[in-house]
Protein backbone atom coordinates (compact mmCIF):
# COMPACT_ATOMS: atom_id res chain seq x y z
CA UNK A 1 0.00 0.00 0.00
CA UNK A 2 1.39 3.41 -1.00
CA UNK A 3 1.61 5.92 1.86
CA UNK A 4 0.83 9.63 1.54
CA UNK A 5 2.83 12.74 2.36
CA UNK A 6 0.12 14.05 4.69
CA UNK A 7 -0.33 10.83 6.68
CA UNK A 8 3.17 9.33 6.84
CA UNK A 9 5.51 12.08 5.64
CA UNK A 10 8.81 10.51 6.76
CA UNK A 11 8.00 7.17 5.16
CA UNK A 12 6.66 8.84 2.02
CA UNK A 13 9.87 10.83 1.57
CA UNK A 14 12.12 7.87 2.29
CA UNK A 15 10.25 5.80 -0.31
CA UNK A 16 10.36 8.64 -2.86
CA UNK A 17 14.14 9.04 -2.48
CA UNK A 18 14.74 5.28 -2.56
CA UNK A 19 12.57 4.83 -5.64
CA UNK A 20 14.32 7.61 -7.52
CA UNK A 21 17.73 6.09 -6.74
CA UNK A 22 16.65 2.62 -7.85
CA UNK A 23 14.74 3.64 -10.99
CA UNK A 24 16.39 6.75 -12.43
CA UNK A 25 18.36 6.14 -15.60
CA UNK A 26 20.62 9.01 -14.48
CA UNK A 27 21.94 6.73 -11.72
CA UNK A 28 23.88 4.65 -14.22
CA UNK A 29 27.51 4.42 -15.26
CA UNK A 30 26.48 4.58 -18.92
CA UNK A 31 30.04 5.46 -19.93
CA UNK A 32 31.30 2.11 -18.53
CA UNK A 33 28.81 -0.74 -18.12
CA UNK A 34 25.45 0.84 -17.25
CA UNK A 35 25.51 -0.41 -13.65
CA UNK A 36 24.07 1.79 -10.86
CA UNK A 37 26.43 4.39 -9.39
CA UNK A 38 24.68 4.36 -6.02
CA UNK A 39 23.15 1.73 -3.75
CA UNK A 40 20.03 2.10 -1.62
CA UNK A 41 20.05 5.43 0.25
CA UNK A 42 19.91 6.25 3.94
CA UNK A 43 17.41 8.99 4.83
CA UNK A 44 17.18 11.18 7.95
CA UNK A 45 15.43 14.35 9.09
CA UNK A 46 16.36 17.35 11.24
CA UNK A 47 14.25 20.08 12.82
CA UNK A 48 15.34 23.44 11.38
CA UNK A 49 15.04 24.93 14.88
CA UNK A 50 17.44 22.38 16.37
CA UNK A 51 20.02 24.50 18.29
CA UNK A 52 22.78 22.62 16.47
CA UNK A 53 22.22 24.88 13.43
CA UNK A 54 22.98 27.93 15.61
CA UNK A 55 26.08 26.13 16.93
CA UNK A 56 27.26 25.78 13.31
CA UNK A 57 27.41 29.57 13.11
CA UNK A 58 30.18 29.40 15.71
CA UNK A 59 31.79 26.12 14.64
CA UNK A 60 31.84 26.82 10.88
CA UNK A 61 31.30 30.60 10.73
CA UNK A 62 28.64 33.30 10.85
CA UNK A 63 28.22 32.92 7.06
CA UNK A 64 26.73 29.41 7.42
CA UNK A 65 22.96 29.44 6.92
CA UNK A 66 20.52 28.27 9.55
CA UNK A 67 17.82 26.42 7.58
CA UNK A 68 15.05 28.63 9.01
CA UNK A 69 16.83 31.84 7.97
CA UNK A 70 17.44 30.40 4.53
CA UNK A 71 13.84 29.36 3.91
CA UNK A 72 12.48 32.65 5.29
CA UNK A 73 14.74 34.61 2.93
CA UNK A 74 13.64 32.41 0.06
CA UNK A 75 9.96 32.88 0.99
CA UNK A 76 10.47 36.66 1.05
CA UNK A 77 12.14 36.64 -2.38
CA UNK A 78 9.39 34.46 -3.85
CA UNK A 79 6.52 36.40 -2.22
CA UNK A 80 5.43 33.14 -0.56
CA UNK A 81 2.78 33.70 2.08
CA UNK A 82 2.31 30.14 3.34
CA UNK A 83 2.85 28.90 6.87
CA UNK A 84 6.49 28.77 8.02
CA UNK A 85 5.80 27.61 11.58
CA UNK A 86 7.43 24.23 11.08
CA UNK A 87 10.55 23.83 8.98
CA UNK A 88 12.55 20.63 8.51
CA UNK A 89 15.63 19.44 6.68
CA UNK A 90 15.39 16.25 4.61
CA UNK A 91 18.77 14.53 4.30
CA UNK A 92 20.07 11.54 2.37
CA UNK A 93 23.23 9.53 1.90
CA UNK A 94 23.67 7.71 -1.41
CA UNK A 95 26.38 5.07 -0.94
CA UNK A 96 28.79 4.50 -3.81
CA UNK A 97 28.44 1.03 -5.40
CA UNK A 98 30.64 -1.75 -4.01
CA UNK A 99 32.37 -2.40 -7.37
CA UNK A 100 33.41 1.26 -7.63
CA UNK A 101 34.84 1.31 -4.10
CA UNK A 102 36.71 -1.92 -4.88
CA UNK A 103 38.20 -0.42 -8.04
CA UNK A 104 39.37 2.68 -6.15
CA UNK A 105 40.90 0.57 -3.38
CA UNK A 106 43.30 -0.83 -6.01
CA UNK A 107 44.55 2.65 -6.94
CA UNK A 108 47.62 4.33 -5.47
CA UNK A 109 47.87 7.68 -7.32
CA UNK A 110 44.69 8.66 -9.12
CA UNK A 111 41.08 7.49 -8.78
CA UNK A 112 39.79 4.57 -10.81
CA UNK A 113 37.77 5.34 -13.94
CA UNK A 114 34.59 4.16 -12.16
CA UNK A 115 35.27 6.47 -9.22
CA UNK A 116 36.06 9.45 -11.45
CA UNK A 117 32.80 9.05 -13.41
CA UNK A 118 30.81 8.44 -10.22
CA UNK A 119 32.14 11.65 -8.69
CA UNK A 120 31.27 13.65 -11.80
CA UNK A 121 28.07 12.06 -13.17
CA UNK A 122 27.08 11.04 -9.64
CA UNK A 123 26.87 14.61 -8.43
CA UNK A 124 24.80 15.49 -11.53
CA UNK A 125 22.46 12.67 -10.51
CA UNK A 126 22.40 14.04 -6.95
CA UNK A 127 21.32 17.44 -8.33
CA UNK A 128 18.45 15.69 -10.18
CA UNK A 129 17.46 13.93 -6.96
CA UNK A 130 17.34 17.26 -5.12
CA UNK A 131 15.23 18.75 -7.94
CA UNK A 132 12.92 15.73 -7.85
CA UNK A 133 12.27 16.10 -4.11
CA UNK A 134 11.85 19.90 -4.34
CA UNK A 135 9.35 19.38 -7.21
CA UNK A 136 7.44 16.71 -5.37
CA UNK A 137 7.03 18.95 -2.31
CA UNK A 138 6.18 21.95 -4.49
CA UNK A 139 3.36 19.92 -6.07
CA UNK A 140 1.90 19.60 -2.55
CA UNK A 141 1.90 23.39 -2.14
CA UNK A 142 4.96 23.41 0.13
CA UNK A 143 7.98 25.70 -0.14
CA UNK A 144 11.14 23.66 -0.63
CA UNK A 145 14.70 24.49 -1.59
CA UNK A 146 17.95 22.55 -2.01
CA UNK A 147 20.47 24.95 -0.39
CA UNK A 148 23.44 23.43 -2.18
CA UNK A 149 22.02 24.17 -5.64
CA UNK A 150 20.48 27.52 -4.78
CA UNK A 151 21.67 31.09 -5.04
CA UNK A 152 22.22 31.00 -1.26
CA UNK A 153 25.18 28.67 -1.67
CA UNK A 154 28.57 30.37 -1.67
CA UNK A 155 32.19 29.39 -1.13
CA UNK A 156 33.87 31.74 1.32
CA UNK A 157 37.53 32.21 2.23
CA UNK A 158 37.46 32.55 5.99
CA UNK A 159 40.53 33.66 7.98
CA UNK A 160 39.93 31.05 10.67
CA UNK A 161 38.81 27.94 8.75
CA UNK A 162 40.09 28.58 5.20
CA UNK A 163 37.72 27.78 2.32
CA UNK A 164 34.26 27.02 3.67
CA UNK A 165 30.72 27.01 2.32
CA UNK A 166 27.55 28.78 3.38
CA UNK A 167 25.78 25.39 3.54
CA UNK A 168 27.50 22.16 4.49
CA UNK A 169 25.72 18.99 3.40
CA UNK A 170 27.88 16.94 5.78
CA UNK A 171 26.86 19.07 8.75
CA UNK A 172 23.20 18.73 7.76
CA UNK A 173 23.70 14.91 7.66
CA UNK A 174 25.29 14.99 11.11
CA UNK A 175 22.33 17.00 12.45
CA UNK A 176 19.95 14.45 10.91
CA UNK A 177 21.59 11.53 12.73
CA UNK A 178 23.22 10.02 9.64
CA UNK A 179 26.91 9.92 10.56
CA UNK A 180 29.92 11.44 12.29
CA UNK A 181 33.09 13.16 11.10
CA UNK A 182 36.35 11.36 10.36
CA UNK A 183 40.08 11.98 10.37
CA UNK A 184 39.94 12.74 6.64
CA UNK A 185 37.11 15.29 7.09
CA UNK A 186 34.39 13.09 5.62
CA UNK A 187 31.34 11.51 7.24
CA UNK A 188 31.23 7.90 8.43
CA UNK A 189 27.67 6.61 8.15
CA UNK A 190 26.20 3.14 8.78
CA UNK A 191 26.82 2.56 5.02
CA UNK A 192 30.39 3.81 5.25
CA UNK A 193 32.32 6.88 4.21
CA UNK A 194 32.17 6.49 0.40
CA UNK A 195 29.01 8.31 -0.64
CA UNK A 196 27.44 11.53 -1.88
CA UNK A 197 24.88 13.33 0.24
CA UNK A 198 22.07 15.80 -0.27
CA UNK A 199 19.51 17.91 1.56
CA UNK A 200 16.30 19.87 1.02
CA UNK A 201 14.73 22.42 3.41
CA UNK A 202 10.91 22.50 3.52
CA UNK A 203 8.13 24.12 5.54
CA UNK A 204 6.67 21.00 7.10
CA UNK A 205 6.95 19.13 10.36
CA UNK A 206 9.00 15.95 10.17
CA UNK A 207 10.03 13.76 13.07
CA UNK A 208 13.76 14.34 13.62
CA UNK A 209 16.03 11.29 13.38
CA UNK A 210 17.79 10.82 16.73
CA UNK A 211 21.52 11.37 16.92
CA UNK A 212 22.56 8.20 18.64
CA UNK A 213 26.33 8.80 18.55
CA UNK A 214 28.18 9.92 21.68
CA UNK A 215 30.16 12.68 19.97
CA UNK A 216 30.88 14.19 16.55
CA UNK A 217 33.78 11.82 15.81
CA UNK A 218 32.37 8.67 17.36
CA UNK A 219 32.47 6.47 14.23
CA UNK A 220 36.16 7.02 13.37
CA UNK A 221 38.60 4.49 14.85
CA UNK A 222 41.36 7.06 15.12
CA UNK A 223 39.27 9.15 17.51
CA UNK A 224 37.28 6.46 19.30
CA UNK A 225 40.11 4.05 20.04
CA UNK A 226 43.40 5.61 18.95
CA UNK A 227 43.81 2.98 16.21
CA UNK A 228 43.61 2.75 12.40
CA UNK A 229 44.89 5.84 10.58
CA UNK A 230 44.76 3.79 7.36
CA UNK A 231 43.49 6.80 5.40
CA UNK A 232 46.78 8.60 6.21
CA UNK A 233 48.71 5.87 4.39
CA UNK A 234 46.27 5.89 1.45
CA UNK A 235 46.61 9.61 0.70
CA UNK A 236 48.97 10.18 -2.25
CA UNK A 237 49.21 13.90 -1.51
CA UNK A 238 50.44 13.74 2.10
CA UNK A 239 47.33 15.72 3.01
CA UNK A 240 46.43 13.49 5.98
CA UNK A 241 48.24 13.14 9.28
CA UNK A 242 47.41 12.57 12.94
CA UNK A 243 46.59 16.29 13.02
CA UNK A 244 43.81 15.71 10.48
CA UNK A 245 43.12 16.89 6.96
CA UNK A 246 45.18 19.59 5.21
CA UNK A 247 42.46 21.02 2.95
CA UNK A 248 44.88 23.07 0.94
CA UNK A 249 47.22 20.14 0.06
CA UNK A 250 44.19 17.99 -0.75
CA UNK A 251 42.60 20.50 -3.10
CA UNK A 252 45.86 21.23 -4.94
CA UNK A 253 46.23 17.48 -5.55
CA UNK A 254 42.59 16.91 -6.46
CA UNK A 255 42.05 19.98 -8.65
CA UNK A 256 45.43 20.07 -10.37
CA UNK A 257 47.37 16.80 -10.37
CA UNK A 258 44.32 14.54 -10.45
CA UNK A 259 42.71 16.36 -13.36
CA UNK A 260 45.94 16.17 -15.35
CA UNK A 261 46.45 12.51 -14.34
CA UNK A 262 42.97 11.54 -15.51
CA UNK A 263 43.48 13.30 -18.82
CA UNK A 264 46.69 11.34 -19.39
CA UNK A 265 45.55 8.00 -18.01
CA UNK A 266 41.92 7.77 -19.20
CA UNK A 267 41.67 10.62 -21.75
CA UNK A 268 38.75 12.13 -19.85
CA UNK A 269 38.23 15.68 -18.72
CA UNK A 270 36.36 15.60 -15.40
CA UNK A 271 36.71 17.40 -12.12
CA UNK A 272 36.77 14.70 -9.51
CA UNK A 273 37.80 14.05 -5.95
CA UNK A 274 40.50 11.42 -5.59
CA UNK A 275 38.77 9.49 -2.79
CA UNK A 276 41.73 7.17 -2.23
CA UNK A 277 41.30 7.81 1.50
CA UNK A 278 37.72 6.49 1.30
CA UNK A 279 38.45 3.17 -0.41
CA UNK A 280 40.47 0.25 0.92
CA UNK A 281 39.98 1.46 4.50
CA UNK A 282 37.94 -0.11 7.32
CA UNK A 283 35.23 2.58 7.17
CA UNK A 284 34.65 2.35 3.38
CA UNK A 285 31.30 0.56 3.60
CA UNK A 286 30.35 0.51 7.29
CA UNK A 287 31.01 1.95 10.73
CA UNK A 288 34.18 0.04 11.60
CA UNK A 289 34.09 -2.17 14.65
CA UNK A 290 36.11 -0.86 17.57
CA UNK A 291 38.85 -3.07 18.95
CA UNK A 292 37.52 -4.92 21.99
CA UNK A 293 39.98 -3.11 24.29
CA UNK A 294 38.85 0.34 23.09
CA UNK A 295 37.26 2.76 25.50
CA UNK A 296 34.13 4.73 24.47
CA UNK A 297 34.82 7.76 22.27
S1 LIG B 1 40.44 4.99 7.71
FE1 LIG B 1 40.40 4.75 9.93
S2 LIG B 1 41.23 6.68 10.74
FE2 LIG B 1 40.69 7.04 8.59
S3 LIG B 1 38.59 7.85 8.66
FE3 LIG B 1 38.41 5.62 8.43
S4 LIG B 1 38.24 4.83 10.53
FE4 LIG B 1 39.01 6.92 10.68
S1 LIG C 1 40.75 13.09 -1.30
FE1 LIG C 1 42.75 12.29 -2.02
S2 LIG C 1 44.20 13.99 -1.71
FE2 LIG C 1 42.38 14.46 -0.49
S3 LIG C 1 42.82 13.64 1.56
FE3 LIG C 1 41.72 12.01 0.46
S4 LIG C 1 43.33 10.78 -0.46
FE4 LIG C 1 44.27 12.71 0.15
Amino acid sequence: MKCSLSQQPERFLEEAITLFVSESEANRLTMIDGSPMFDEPLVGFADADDPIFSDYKTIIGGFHWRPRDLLEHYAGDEGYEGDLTHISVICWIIPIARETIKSNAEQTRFPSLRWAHTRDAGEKFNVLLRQHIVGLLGDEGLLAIAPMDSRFFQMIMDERVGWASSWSERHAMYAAGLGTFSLNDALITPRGIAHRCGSVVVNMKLKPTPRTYENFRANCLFYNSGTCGDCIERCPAGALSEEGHDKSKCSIYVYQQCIEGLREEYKIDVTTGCGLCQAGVPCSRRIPKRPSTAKGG
Side-chain angles (χ1 to χ4, degrees):
M1 192 179 69
K2 275 197 95 180
C3 60
S4 72
L5 183 66
S6 56
Q7 286 175 337
Q8 293 175 286
E10 298 85 9
R11 192 166 151 208
F12 176 89
L13 288 162
E14 191 171 343
E15 285 183 3
I17 293 165
T18 305
L19 195 69
F20 193 79
V21 172
S22 70
E23 295 198 341
S24 171
E25 281 304 310
N27 179 23
R28 297 280 183 271
L29 276 174
T30 46
M31 55 301 278
I32 299 183
D33 58 6
S35 62
M37 289 185 283
F38 299 108
D39 290 340
E40 194 178 321
L42 274 178
V43 179
F45 307 100
D47 181 344
D49 295 318
D50 186 323
I52 199 167
F53 290 109
S54 294
D55 295 345
Y56 289 166
K57 284 206 159 286
T58 313
I59 297 164
I60 304 172
F63 50 81
H64 193 270
W65 284 100
R66 278 186 292 239
R68 169 168 291 282
D69 298 340
L70 192 147
L71 200 71
E72 285 179 353
H73 265 78
Y74 183 50
D77 291 355
E78 296 292 303
Y80 180 82
E81 290 178 351
D83 186 1
L84 296 177
T85 309
H86 298 292
I87 300 178
S88 302
V89 189
I90 304 162
C91 296
W92 60 82
I93 300 285
I94 40 176
I96 294 178
R98 178 196 289 255
E99 188 62 27
T100 303
I101 298 174
K102 192 165 158 265
S103 68
N104 217 37
E106 288 159 8
Q107 300 295 310
T108 54
R109 287 181 66 222
F110 302 121
S112 68
L113 187 61
R114 293 186 81 89
W115 187 280
H117 279 310
T118 296
R119 175 65 181 75
D120 186 52
E123 189 48 33
K124 287 177 187 143
F125 166 73
N126 201 16
V127 170
L128 290 179
L129 175 55
R130 293 188 191 103
Q131 286 170 356
H132 174 67
I133 297 303
V134 166
L136 209 145
L137 294 163
D139 289 346
E140 301 282 335
L142 294 160
L143 185 71
I145 184 168
M148 189 75 189
D149 302 330
S150 73
R151 61 180 174 274
F152 298 100
F153 183 82
Q154 282 179 303
M155 290 303 294
I156 288 136
M157 175 45 97
D158 182 72
E159 270 183 21
R160 192 173 54 91
V161 294
W163 280 107
S165 57
S166 59
W167 179 261
S168 162
E169 294 285 46
R170 283 174 306 131
H171 284 79
M173 304 301 121
Y174 176 81
L178 291 175
T180 76
F181 294 88
S182 58
L183 180 67
N184 52 359
D185 246 355
L187 197 83
I188 304 179
T189 76
R191 298 288 187 76
I193 198 170
H195 55 75
R196 305 294 305 160
C197 50
S199 65
V200 164
V201 182
V202 61
N203 61 333
M204 68 184 297
K205 190 174 172 65
L206 292 165
K207 192 167 170 232
T209 309
R211 292 192 285 275
T212 53
Y213 15 83
E214 67 264 40
N215 64 56
F216 73 103
R217 287 166 162 170
N219 295 344
C220 175
L221 290 173
F222 183 79
Y223 296 116
N224 67 30
S225 57
T227 61
C228 191
D230 290 6
C231 52
I232 299 175
E233 306 301 320
R234 290 281 296 145
C235 177
L240 296 174
S241 70
E242 296 196 351
E243 274 69 60
H245 179 217
D246 184 328
K247 283 202 250 183
S248 158
K249 271 192 189 168
C250 174
S251 53
I252 290 170
Y253 188 76
V254 162
Y255 294 113
Q256 293 178 14
Q257 283 160 270
C258 254
I259 292 177
E260 284 162 26
L262 294 180
R263 248 181 234 142
E264 269 175 39
E265 212 153 315
Y266 309 129
K267 316 285 176 243
I268 57 167
D269 222 344
V270 295
T271 305
T272 170
C274 111
L276 263 62
C277 59
Q278 298 183 8
V281 291
C283 56
S284 288
R285 299 189 67 244
R286 60 186 61 82
I287 297 171
K289 198 166 180 305
R290 297 180 193 195
S292 49
T293 50
K295 295 195 176 79

